[in-house]
Amino acid sequence: MTGISLSISDLEVTGQGGRRILSVPRLEVPAGTAVAVRGPSGAGKSTLLYALAGIIAPSRGCITWGDTDIAGLDDSGRAAFRRGTVGFIFQEHLLFEELSALGNAGVTALYAPRRDRRRIRDSAEGLLTRFGLGKSAARRSDTFSGGERQRIAVVRALAGDAPVILADEPTASLDRANADALADDLMRLARDDGRTLVAVSHDPSLHDRADRVIDVRDGQLELPEAQNA
Amino acid sequence: MPDPIADLLARLPLWMENTVILLGALLPVLVIGALVLRGFAIWPLLSALLRRQVWVSVVFTMLIAVSIGLGVGLIAQERGLRQGTARAADKFELVIAAPGSEITAMLAAVYLQPSAIPLIDGPTYAQVAAHPNADLVAPLAFGDSYENAPVVGSTPAFVDYLSEGLAEGRVFATETEAIAGARTPLAVGDSFTPQHGQGNEAEGAHGGFEYQVVGRMPLTGSPWDRAYIVPAESVWMVHGLANGHAPGWDGTVGGPFDPDYFPGTPAALVKADSLGGAYVMQAQFNTDRTMALFPGTVLSRLHALMGDIRQVMSILAIVTQVLVTVGVLAGLMMLTRLLARRLALLRALGAPRRFNFALTWSYAVTLIVLGAGLGLALGVLLTRAISGVITDRTDILVTASLGWSELHLVGAFVSLTALLALIPAWLTMTRPVVRDLRG
Ligand SMILES: Nc1ncnc2c1ncn2[C@@H]1O[C@H](COP(=O)(O)OP(=O)(O)OP(=O)(O)O)[C@@H](O)[C@H]1O
Ligand SMILES: [Mg+2]
């Protein structure tokens, strides 16, 4: 897999009532880079990830992944982009309670092209085992603990082999050892497979392992000038 | 319908034609289903939704099932009743009575409904009996009863004709012998005293006269199952009239009767030698002194009259079903609000809009199809039960079963509601993803 680069310019996201919740004049992330995003609650971190995934349409500006400006795509175009390119880990995990761990981990197979389904399911199964959930893969997901649910959500994002991983607090519900292990895995995935990773996190161990750390405050990215060259 | 298609349908065997119509009725669902579901594996999530909302699903399914069941039951019942009454009239090819209401004469002669109708006299009866096209002519001398069951005077030949062979015993040979219908309480060997009149108007017993049951008819599926058939001679005798035969009669009951000693009969049954013969006789005896009627024709006129009611009924049934389904779909729309977060999650993960559309639509259609299937079963059970009650009350054997028209109706219902289900499915696509995602 070849990772893809990210280039943002003049980005602005407005919320209800025209309130500006995020503005990013300029950001360049080369392919295969692991970026950590931190900042206080309500700063706009999740909003940034949503915009990067095309879940939110920005009111202005460009978000260019590889050579596609997703801000210029319509709703279906952005969904197709997510399908093919993005693995997303949600802050609240968001699992389908009545599906099994494996059912959740492989849920994207249900609407993937027929030829990819087998691969997604196999990959989900392998990753569940790798994250210590192989034995309980058939159990309903609402019987799992918070940390286990988080790992299921991570596997779901990884199973599709997407070149871009967007993670919102992926280690929040985990103990130190598991958090470190997951941080290692995410970083390895980014580096070894050349994926591009943007992870929102309060976890210093994740910041340490990242290629780059970005601070968000009041909807503004605070980039050291040197880094943004 | 364009002519070539109508032509083609007309040339197909009936069951094939019916299958084609059913498939045609279901075609919209199949086409929509194929288009909407193409390329998706929705079953895991669909079954998850059904399991999550299991009680809601059950209630919605039952609502649809009950409305379909009632509609289907009504239609099947009506047809069963039509077939049952026609079957009960099968043997009564041509009935000759004094001029009056055809329907009254038919109800009295075929279904043994009590009614006072004028008599036809001896010479007229003799004319009918002697007609070259007549195979069998028998008086139907009704008016007496025993414990509310009609006691009808006729001939041994009529008993043979109606029963096609007795189930037990033999045909009456003397004036004091009687044949019991299959559902009467008396057994061969029992005796009874007839009463004058029938039903609520039954007057006193015919003093001292007693019949002995010597034979029993098999089930005919008609009111005759609850009746007693006795020699016409004895009916006349207990009323103090001549016995139908000239003095010096050897006592053998049955025709031919002597016109001079024939006290009259309210009706006569005629079986002609052929269909043509029946029409000849019908034409000949429709005079100012007699009325000749085909009970089958009178019945189908009645049925045709009911046909209009039937159409109104089917429309009402469809309207009720559609209303119930609209209610169910409105409920589904509220349900999809509960599902909004899951649907938004799917969109956020990258699922195409059509996937959510397919999921919601197939959820609705699953309830509709399950409800329709259950409704058919319910309709069958319902008609069985009602048929039993009707047979019990009227002795007209009603065997209602599922027919093609019900299947067509249900097929059309499924298609129509599956089309309506596109609306809630469409609405789920217009919901704001991010807001639903934040829950
Ligand atoms: N649609 C919207 N309309 C108006 N304001 C919004 C909208 N969506 C989010 N906001 C506001 O934008 C700000 C940023 O929200 P966001 O969810 O991105 O914060 P965050 O940095 O992820 O915080 P946390 O660390 O608590 O998850 C918040 O103040 C939030 O209330
Ligand atoms: Mg957040």
Side-chain angles (χ1 to χ4, degrees):
Chain A
M1 176 195 321
T2 48
I4 56 176
S5 62
L6 168 66
S7 163
I8 297 180
S9 68
D10 206 16
L11 176 70
E12 213 173 274
V13 177
T14 48
Q16 220 152 40
R19 191 173 89 100
R20 193 196 310 152
I21 26 186
L22 181 71
S23 75
V24 183
R26 198 172 151 71
L27 177 69
E28 301 286 340
V29 177
T33 312
V35 179
V37 178
R38 68 182 171 200
S41 177
K45 307 181 293 296
S46 295
T47 304
L48 173 65
L49 285 191
Y50 280 172
L52 292 182
I55 296 171
I56 292 179
S59 48
R60 214 178 70 191
C62 301
I63 304 172
T64 308
W65 284 104
D67 36 41
T68 310
D69 174 17
I70 63 164
L73 298 176
D74 64 2
D75 194 69
S76 306
R78 296 200 308 274
F81 160 76
R82 281 199 288 287
R83 224 160 31 244
T85 315
V86 178
F88 203 105
I89 300 163
F90 295 92
Q91 193 166 8
E92 308 90 339
H93 318 161
L94 298 181
L95 301 181
F96 294 97
E97 311 297 333
E98 41 308 288
L99 289 186
S100 67
L102 183 57
N104 268 289
V107 77
T108 57
L110 301 183
Y111 49 80
R114 209 170 286 275
R115 63 191 133 76
D116 294 338
R117 287 184 194 161
R118 177 89 262 148
R119 182 177 55 76
I120 293 174
R121 272 197 216 101
D122 289 348
S123 160
E125 217 168 337
L127 285 164
L128 279 178
T129 307
R130 179 158 158 197
F131 285 112
L133 297 170
K135 289 214 172 53
S136 35
R139 226 166 74 202
R140 263 176 72 119
S141 64
D142 53 4
T143 61
F144 286 92
S145 74
E148 288 167 333
R149 293 159 64 79
Q150 180 141 49
R151 278 175 278 163
I152 297 171
V154 169
V155 172
R156 177 175 66 194
L158 299 180
D161 257 344
V164 174
I165 303 295
L166 303 176
D168 205 344
E169 302 286 3
T171 59
S173 309
L174 301 177
D175 57 89
R176 189 69 273 139
N178 270 311
D180 286 347
L182 184 61
D184 276 338
D185 275 325
L186 284 175
M187 293 308 157
R188 185 154 358 98
L189 278 166
R191 297 224 172 75
D192 296 358
D193 299 345
R195 302 196 208 203
T196 308
L197 170 74
V198 180
V200 168
S201 184
H202 290 101
D203 186 350
S205 78
L206 215 146
H207 302 159
D208 294 344
R209 288 167 169 82
D211 298 321
R212 194 170 155 192
V213 179
I214 299 174
D215 284 295
V216 184
R217 208 169 295 276
D218 287 336
Q220 305 284 334
L221 262 56
E222 295 179 355
L223 306 167
E225 276 313 307
Q227 275 190 3
N228 202 22
Chain B
M1 205 183 293
D3 274 343
I5 295 179
D7 268 11
L8 187 69
L9 274 181
R11 251 180 283 124
L12 290 175
L14 197 60
W15 69 267
M16 221 190 265
E17 180 185 332
N18 280 319
T19 312
V20 169
I21 295 176
L22 180 61
L23 286 179
L26 286 174
L27 197 63
V29 206
L30 300 176
V31 170
I32 298 171
L35 287 178
V36 168
L37 302 180
R38 185 174 31 93
F40 296 147
I42 56 157
W43 175 243
L45 277 171
L46 176 59
S47 71
L49 287 191
L50 289 168
R51 270 180 285 137
R52 182 176 180 81
Q53 321 278 351
V54 70
W55 287 113
V56 178
S57 307
V58 166
V59 167
F60 284 176
T61 304
M62 286 318 293
L63 270 177
I64 297 175
V66 168
S67 76
I68 296 244
L70 288 177
V72 162
L74 224 59
I75 294 172
Q77 193 62 58
E78 190 271 342
R79 190 188 44 233
L81 205 57
R82 225 166 351 114
Q83 289 171 343
T85 47
R87 213 179 307 110
D90 248 5
K91 293 260 168 167
F92 295 80
E93 191 173 85
L94 182 63
V95 168
I96 294 180
S101 154
E102 289 197 332
I103 290 177
T104 308
M106 177 192 71
L107 288 178
V110 179
Y111 303 105
L112 299 177
Q113 293 295 303
S115 59
I117 54 178
L119 307 180
I120 46 179
D121 59 20
T124 312
Y125 182 85
Q127 231 183 323
V128 177
H131 197 279
N133 287 118
D135 251 8
L136 171 81
V137 176
L140 298 174
F142 41 79
D144 283 353
S145 65
Y146 168 67
E147 287 188 345
N148 281 329
V151 173
V152 185
S154 193
T155 62
F158 172 73
V159 174
D160 285 337
Y161 172 64
L162 186 64
S163 65
E164 294 178 4
L166 292 177
E168 202 187 332
R170 56 173 177 81
V171 181
F172 47 71
T174 71
E175 309 106 272
T176 57
E177 290 178 343
I179 295 296
R183 292 159 68 99
T184 55
L186 296 190
V188 172
D190 289 349
S191 304
F192 67 94
T193 299
Q195 278 185 307
H196 187 68
Q198 219 179 319
N200 293 333
E201 279 144 47
E203 293 153 22
H206 286 297
F209 197 89
E210 237 186 30
Y211 287 110
Q212 192 186 21
V213 177
V214 295
R216 211 174 164 75
M217 298 220 294
L219 261 180
T220 61
S222 74
W224 289 81
D225 289 340
R226 198 80 78 181
Y228 300 93
I229 310 177
V230 299
E233 287 88 345
S234 56
V235 173
W236 291 319
M237 275 157 69
V238 298
H239 287 88
L241 304 166
N243 64 14
H245 302 277
W249 171 48
D250 65 356
T252 314
V253 295
F257 300 105
D258 187 322
D260 293 337
Y261 297 91
F262 187 94
T265 178
L269 166 88
V270 174
K271 186 190 159 343
D273 55 359
S274 63
L275 192 62
Y279 276 102
V280 168
M281 290 187 75
Q282 198 256 350
Q284 201 164 327
F285 289 105
N286 243 340
T287 63
D288 50 349
R289 284 194 304 135
T290 52
M291 161 175 83
L293 57 113
F294 291 117
T297 310
V298 177
L299 198 59
S300 49
R301 278 214 307 275
L302 268 181
H303 288 160
L305 194 71
M306 292 196 322
D308 294 339
I309 301 169
R310 179 165 78 245
Q311 253 167 9
V312 173
M313 242 162 53
S314 323
I315 293 170
L316 284 181
I318 292 184
V319 168
T320 334
Q321 284 160 27
V322 168
L323 281 181
V324 167
T325 309
V326 167
V328 167
L329 291 180
L332 277 180
M333 281 190 213
M334 298 194 304
L335 247 184
T336 52
R337 281 173 166 268
L338 296 181
L339 302 176
R341 194 155 196 214
R342 290 139 195 290
L343 296 174
L345 170 58
L346 284 167
R347 295 281 293 137
L349 286 171
R353 273 168 194 268
R354 187 168 60 85
F355 186 74
N356 283 0
F357 186 88
L359 197 56
T360 334
W361 184 77
S362 34
Y363 181 51
V365 170
T366 304
L367 299 189
I368 290 167
V369 169
L370 279 179
L374 262 176
L376 278 175
L378 206 69
V380 171
L381 290 181
L382 203 71
T383 37
R384 289 250 171 93
I386 299 177
S387 300
V389 172
I390 292 183
T391 305
D392 231 49
R393 294 241 171 114
T394 64
D395 294 305
I396 297 171
L397 181 66
V398 176
T399 48
S401 59
L402 215 57
W404 281 104
S405 51
E406 289 89 287
L407 288 178
H408 294 161
L409 182 76
V410 172
F413 168 84
V414 168
S415 271
L416 188 63
T417 48
L419 276 174
L420 283 177
L422 292 172
I423 300 169
W426 177 261
L427 289 181
T428 57
M429 298 202 315
T430 62
R431 294 195 58 85
V433 172
V434 183
R435 205 185 321 144
D436 282 351
L437 202 56
R438 291 194 199 260

